[in-house]
Amino acid sequence: MNLKEVGINSDRVRQMTKEEMADATHVDNDEEVEAIFAEKAAKYAATYDKLLLKHANLSRMRLCKLDDQIYTHFREEFPDISVDKMEVEQWKEPKKKWHDFMMLYHEGEFKLANFSMGTLFRPDASRRVEVDNCEIMPRVQFYAFEIARNREGINDQYKESWAEQLPPSWARE
């Protein structure tokens, strides 16, 4: 599906100034913008899923330049969070603690591009992104959970369970 197929004029979005995009107090929800976001988020999720299934060694896969920092920071701040089957409360509470965690990646030494971009996440690591296994969260939280899943072997189990369904053309890297 592309934007034209659903009747969205993406030129309108590209013409918005930074000030217009940043000032949410004067912006209503715009179906065109939401559709563009949904399309981008779905493409990102599909790309990540393909990487999970194709990558030879998930514990060594890098999602961004700050993988080591994000993982260490996440496990220092949230040592008891199990990332295999997650509940919404685990990434929403305590709000202040999660806010402080994410803001470290907003600017400065650990600035992460698109740190707050909404990203589709699989709460149940054993399943693919589906309607009943899909939540939206800021990109840096997605990175924290998925880096942990990769380094802790949880995504290896996911990959093994889906391996027999991979197309033959997907050569292992």
Side-chain angles (χ1 to χ4, degrees):
M1 173 177 75
N2 66 39
L3 297 177
K4 288 183 182 180
E5 288 174 358
V6 294
I8 295 173
N9 179 359
S10 58
D11 292 334
R12 182 177 160 281
V13 176
R14 287 188 197 100
Q15 292 169 357
M16 292 175 70
T17 66
K18 287 183 181 180
E19 292 77 23
E20 288 173 317
M21 289 185 204
D23 187 3
T25 60
H26 301 299
V27 178
D28 293 327
N29 285 351
D30 185 313
E31 289 180 20
E32 290 182 26
V33 173
E34 289 178 3
I36 291 169
F37 161 74
E39 183 178 338
K40 286 182 181 265
K43 284 180 182 177
Y44 187 89
T47 299
Y48 181 66
D49 188 55
K50 194 170 184 177
L51 284 173
L52 283 179
L53 297 174
K54 288 181 73 172
H55 203 280
N57 186 346
L58 294 177
S59 67
R60 301 182 84 191
M61 185 169 84
R62 311 259 323 156
L63 300 184
C64 69
K65 64 181 180 175
L66 297 174
D67 278 21
D68 296 334
Q69 165 64 27
I70 292 170
Y71 180 71
T72 301
H73 184 205
F74 169 62
R75 282 304 179 203
E76 285 173 356
E77 294 295 321
F78 303 96
D80 299 326
I81 288 183
S82 174
V83 293
D84 56 348
K85 288 188 180 180
M86 301 184 70
E87 299 295 327
V88 174
E89 296 77 29
Q90 290 178 286
W91 65 82
K92 297 219 175 189
E93 299 296 334
K95 285 184 182 185
K96 171 86 169 98
K97 193 170 183 180
W98 273 116
H99 176 268
D100 292 347
F101 176 88
M102 290 187 287
M103 292 312 292
L104 179 67
Y105 303 96
H106 176 57
E107 57 190 13
E109 178 184 357
F110 299 115
K111 183 175 182 167
L112 182 65
N114 300 321
F115 84 104
S116 64
M117 175 72 143
T119 306
L120 299 180
F121 174 71
R122 305 170 294 131
D124 181 345
S126 69
R127 297 176 49 214
R128 294 184 113 157
V129 170
E130 301 168 320
V131 173
D132 65 339
N133 190 43
C134 182
E135 296 287 340
I136 297 174
M137 67 174 41
R139 177 80 42 97
V140 71
Q141 273 185 308
F142 170 85
Y143 282 160
F145 298 148
E146 288 297 332
I147 292 165
R149 285 175 171 180
N150 288 339
R151 293 190 179 187
E152 295 168 14
I154 293 164
N155 277 334
D156 287 327
Q157 296 165 14
Y158 169 77
K159 179 179 162 182
E160 289 169 16
S161 70
W162 289 97
E164 62 204 33
Q165 298 176 33
L166 293 177
S169 61
W170 284 22
R172 298 278 181 236
E173 294 174 357

